[in-house]
Amino acid sequence: MHQRQKPSAPEHRSDLAADGGALSMSHNDSRSLFNFSQLVLSAGQIKPSPALKHSKITYFEVEILDVQSKKQICIVDKVPPASTLLDVKHKFHKACPQWYPSRVGLQLERNGPFLKDSINIQSLAVSSIITLYFTDLGQQVGWTTFFLTEYTGPLLIYLLFYIRLSTIYDQVESRKNFRHPVVHLACFCHCLHYIRHLLETLFVHKFSEGHTPLKNMIKGCVFYWGFTSWIAYYINHPRYTPPSFGHRQVSYAALAFLMCEAGNHFINVALAHQTNSGNKTCFPSPTYNPFTWLFLLVSCPNYTYEAGSWISFTVMTQTLPVGIFAFLMVIQMSLWAKKKHKLYLKRFYPEVRRKAAMIPIIF
């Protein structure tokens, strides 16, 4: 019989050590797995790492058609959504250099209004392709240039007549006839009026949309320069007849003229201050300045004061050309005031609904 031999002591110890090591490793793995599971349970559900999202910008294509023939002029491509219509006009100008941005008029519909430069291109998009209609607005000038040219002419023209150039008046008759004081006063008031306009154009008024057709400036210059020549010729003529009621008529009319000029200036400053401060939620209210109290009665007191200036100048000089000019100015300003009053009614209805446009009760 073969007897089973017992392993030797060293071999028996090595087997036990191996078995013990295996048991120890198994026990450690169990504890590690238990600790990891507890950590997972305490931390919550394991969230997968977020996938990297690649930003995708949608560009627009702007198709520009001629408003008359409907023929395609060009396509402005790769227009970002944040672009404005002015950006599109600049790109259009690069493609068609003969049309610079200020003379480009763009419309959504052929008979629709011209779109403002500040409008966002994304607000016009129905699809990735935007169709706009192009109109050539003609040669343009800035509003500052427009008003400086319009007001500088009358200032210089009146002074040419005031000094009585030999090419305009007879020099013998000019030396013989004495100048009435109202002639000098009229020159002072006329120059003051246009100097005020020039200074306000440079330092007070803020113009939006920046341009107007050149033909408008030409028409304005013809009107103001032509009437100034007619007015200055009569007032500075050697045979000019002074006002009927003399010094009293001149004094009262000159005082009214100066008050209207001051009122016009303070109203323009108040309107400019409202625009610059960005406070467009309410209609301008009167301040401690008495000249602004006219806001209580009318919505366009600057036109009221402007009309008052020319009516006072008519009474002071008592000449027909000034009277005709004042009459036309009152009509024109009443039309402007009526148009502006309608805009005020839409924006500031509670404050403006009981006010007149320019002259209380009448307009």
Side-chain angles (χ1 to χ4, degrees):
M1 293 178 66
H2 295 283
Q3 294 182 350
R4 186 178 179 182
Q5 294 182 356
K6 295 182 180 179
S8 62
E11 291 175 355
H12 181 64
R13 282 196 296 268
S14 64
D15 291 339
L16 290 174
D19 293 339
L23 290 172
S24 175
M25 290 178 62
S26 175
H27 182 66
N28 290 336
D29 291 341
S30 300
R31 291 186 63 184
S32 299
L33 182 61
F34 175 77
N35 292 335
F36 179 74
S37 63
Q38 292 295 322
L39 180 63
V40 170
L41 290 175
S42 63
Q45 185 180 0
I46 298 178
K47 295 181 180 179
S49 59
L52 294 176
K53 295 182 179 179
H54 297 282
S55 59
K56 185 178 180 181
I57 301 177
T58 303
Y59 291 96
F60 295 102
E61 288 186 358
V62 180
E63 181 187 28
I64 299 179
L65 307 179
D66 183 77
V67 71
Q68 299 295 335
S69 63
K70 294 186 180 180
K71 291 182 179 180
Q72 185 185 97
I73 299 176
C74 75
I75 293 180
V76 180
D77 57 353
K78 293 185 179 181
V79 179
S83 299
T84 62
L85 200 68
L86 183 60
D87 299 327
V88 174
K89 288 184 178 182
H90 282 293
K91 291 186 177 183
F92 177 65
H93 174 56
K94 290 182 180 179
C96 305
Q98 68 271 28
W99 293 309
Y100 49 89
S102 62
R103 71 182 295 170
V104 174
L106 296 177
Q107 305 159 274
L108 269 178
E109 301 174 355
R110 294 183 67 189
N111 297 325
F114 291 111
L115 301 172
K116 294 183 178 181
D117 290 345
S118 58
I119 194 170
N120 189 284
I121 200 67
Q122 192 172 13
S123 64
L124 306 175
V126 178
S127 63
S128 60
I129 300 178
I130 303 171
T131 301
L132 299 177
Y133 293 94
F134 161 76
T135 300
D136 184 7
L137 300 177
Q139 192 170 354
Q140 304 286 301
V141 294
W143 280 110
T144 302
T145 304
F146 176 90
F147 287 113
L148 290 179
T149 306
E150 193 175 70
Y151 296 143
T152 302
L155 180 64
L156 299 178
I157 290 172
Y158 197 97
L159 291 175
L160 291 177
F161 283 91
Y162 176 73
I163 61 178
R164 290 183 176 178
L165 294 175
S166 58
T167 55
I168 301 175
Y169 302 112
D170 181 75
Q171 292 299 302
V172 176
E173 195 173 17
S174 298
R175 296 192 199 97
K176 186 187 302 183
N177 295 330
F178 171 74
R179 288 199 191 193
H180 193 275
V182 72
V183 175
H184 305 292
L185 182 60
C187 180
F188 170 78
C189 291
H190 191 276
C191 293
L192 176 67
H193 177 79
Y194 285 102
I195 289 174
R196 178 184 63 79
H197 273 304
L198 291 171
L199 293 177
E200 288 177 353
T201 300
L202 292 173
F203 304 110
V204 177
H205 297 301
K206 302 295 179 183
F207 304 107
S208 59
E209 295 297 329
H211 298 87
T212 186
L214 177 63
K215 61 182 180 181
N216 289 347
M217 188 180 78
I218 294 175
K219 288 191 293 185
C221 289
V222 169
F223 178 77
Y224 279 98
W225 295 16
F227 263 103
T228 299
S229 301
W230 192 23
I231 291 169
Y233 176 80
Y234 272 86
I235 295 177
N236 295 286
H237 198 279
R239 297 182 183 179
Y240 168 72
T241 304
S244 304
F245 296 96
H247 179 71
R248 180 177 297 180
Q249 178 179 342
V250 173
S251 300
Y252 287 149
L255 180 61
F257 177 88
L258 295 176
M259 290 180 64
C260 289
E261 287 294 301
N264 201 340
H265 172 71
F266 288 120
I267 293 296
N268 288 332
V269 170
L271 293 173
H273 177 72
Q274 182 203 26
T275 303
N276 294 340
S277 62
N279 182 20
K280 299 182 181 180
T281 58
C282 60
F283 186 76
S285 57
T287 63
Y288 63 88
N289 188 338
F291 290 103
T292 63
W293 295 350
L294 201 56
F295 273 123
L296 295 171
L297 301 176
V298 296
S299 59
C300 302
N302 51 330
Y303 295 143
T304 307
Y305 282 123
E306 183 78 8
S309 293
W310 285 112
I311 293 173
S312 302
F313 194 77
T314 302
V315 175
M316 182 178 67
T317 57
Q318 196 176 310
T319 53
L320 180 63
V322 182
I324 296 175
F325 181 73
F327 176 73
L328 295 176
M329 289 294 288
V330 169
I331 293 176
Q332 180 62 72
M333 277 182 250
S334 65
L335 296 175
W336 288 341
K338 187 176 179 181
K339 183 178 179 180
K340 207 167 188 179
H341 186 69
K342 288 183 178 179
L343 296 177
Y344 283 151
L345 284 174
K346 293 179 181 179
R347 295 174 56 189
F348 315 112
Y349 177 73
E351 297 94 336
V352 183
R353 66 188 179 92
R354 298 197 177 194
K355 302 179 190 294
M358 185 176 113
I359 300 176
I361 301 173
I362 298 177
F363 295 108

